[in-house]
Amino acid sequence: MAPAITFAADEISSADTGFMLICSALVMLMTPGLAFFYGGMVRVKSALNMLMMSFISLGIVTVLWVLYGFSLAFGTDTGSLIGWDSDYVGLSGIDKAEVWSGYTIPTLVFAVFQLMFAVLTPALISGALADRVKFAAWSLFVVLWVSVVYFPVAHWVWGTGGWAFELGVIDFAGGTAVHINAGAAALGVILVIGKRAGFKKDPMRPHSMPLVMLGAGLLWFGWFGFNAGSWLGNSDGVGALMFVNTQVATGAAVLAWLVYEKVRHGACTTLGAASGAVAGLVAITPAGGAVSPIGAIAIGVIAGVLCAMAVGLKYKLNYDDSLDVVGVHLVGGIVGSLLIGLFATGKGQSEVAGLFYGGGLDQLWKQAAGVFGVLAYSLVASAVLALLIHKTIGMRVDEEQEISGIDQAEHAETAYDFSGVGSSSAKPTVPARAESNKVDA
């Protein structure tokens, strides 16, 4: 994942392998965590649909990754744009003891770790589309998007021979390939499908802040695997630096977002705390292996304030990013990626130093090339894919279904069943549990 340094190939390390399996499981947990985070932020009539839009990615992307995704992302380079290796198709040509080149873990472990990143990234996009997208259309979009956008971009950034990799763009764990990629895609899709019914007119408040906080906590927890695991081993302390910086930047971003809220709106909100945490996690993702803990504080503070400011742009610019994917993931990813060019110390994952540490502007322009190259491609390609689906099978549910509730229309379910909560003046003669036991007997 972090291409600045590679080590001589070695035998499999049981310690590194076990560590990476744990990290893979932590990253997998981030997708259900994201589902809770998003699910709590929508209105109650859309909660299940929001959960499912994240959860379905675990099924779709897993199968595609095994069939051809890993090969496209990490196979032998062609033209600095895409990879391919027939041994990786179906993962059928990979021996269980084969070592990932330059590291001490099996290739299968590397493949499954990368799979979890591929699963999470399209799920991030879904938050921008809440309340209004057909589940079948969304599922088709995920198939097309990971094939046309995510797999190639992952190769650009992390695959040997990819243009961003060869240019020297630093992206430790996914500022460009995951967050800018998802944020730009979200913007492209919402520009095609339009705004929710009642946007800027009806209240669209989160239906469950406890779910939001649960999701944020799971994301924060899983992010340690996401970030620290991206060094693919523990032999030199870089993973430990990334672990520390992940915590430091996130804490700083929470504080910065809340201070901004207090000054701007007069209150420190629970939603602001959760959103600030995610903004800090996003921003430190590309940078944490290259900066010091003091640099991580600076990145967290800058991301917390700028992302808090950015989420209000949808009302000024009149685009409906339902759950602020653009404001948090796109903006946070840009902030974290570009600030490497300022705060890189030259003492972390590589000897590359940023402007504030005597390195000049060289790394900053490389970071900018990676940022805006990925942003432009993802924005345009995602909009085209959404338009194709929108003009064929249709991306949006009917307005009547959107207003009445997409959960019932798309899933024939509701998030909460209140049918047994009604009041009655008559007292039951037999307690419910006793009655149930009598029937069972």
Side-chain angles (χ1 to χ4, degrees), residues 134-168:
K134 295 176 182 177
F135 185 67
W138 166 250
S139 300
L140 176 59
F141 178 81
V142 170
V143 172
L144 297 176
W145 189 83
V146 294
S147 301
V148 175
V149 181
Y150 182 80
F151 298 156
V153 170
H155 180 76
W156 298 353
V157 175
W158 294 317
T160 302
W163 68 264
F165 181 101
E166 297 301 325
L167 181 63

Side-chain angles (χ1 to χ4, degrees), residues 36-52:
F36 283 125
F37 181 67
Y38 282 168
M41 289 175 68
V42 296
R43 292 169 288 180
V44 68
K45 63 184 180 180
S46 304
L48 289 181
N49 181 253
M50 199 72 261
L51 293 170
M52 282 291 288

Side-chain angles (χ1 to χ4, degrees), residues 41 60 62 258 373 409:
M41 289 175 68
I60 292 173
T62 295
L258 291 177

Side-chain angles (χ1 to χ4, degrees), residues 179 223 249 278-288 299-300 303 307 328 331-333 335-337:
H179 297 292
W223 224 291
V278 175
L281 290 164
V282 169
I284 202 60
T285 290
I299 289 172
C307 290
V328 173
V331 173
V335 168
S337 296

Side-chain angles (χ1 to χ4, degrees), residues 202-297:
D202 300 335
M204 298 181 179
R205 293 184 292 269
H207 90 278
S208 175
M209 282 311 305
L211 276 185
V212 174
M213 294 302 285
L214 172 63
L218 289 172
L219 284 170
W220 195 332
F221 176 65
W223 224 291
F224 290 113
F226 190 88
N227 280 357
S230 290
W231 197 240
L232 306 181
N234 286 307
S235 60
D236 58 3
V238 175
L241 174 66
M242 184 54 158
F243 193 106
V244 170
N245 284 343
T246 298
Q247 179 67 20
V248 169
T250 307
V254 170
L255 298 179
W257 190 300
L258 291 177
V259 169
Y260 175 84
E261 272 195 332
K262 182 65 175 178
V263 173
R264 182 73 174 83
H265 304 293
C268 299
T269 68
T270 310
L271 182 59
S275 300
V278 175
L281 290 164
V282 169
I284 202 60
T285 290
V291 304
S292 69
I294 294 298
I297 291 175

Side-chain angles (χ1 to χ4, degrees), residues 14-30:
S14 58
D16 286 345
T17 299
F19 171 71
M20 290 307 302
L21 289 172
I22 292 170
C23 287
S24 300
L26 287 172
V27 182
M28 180 271 165
L29 184 65
M30 292 173 67

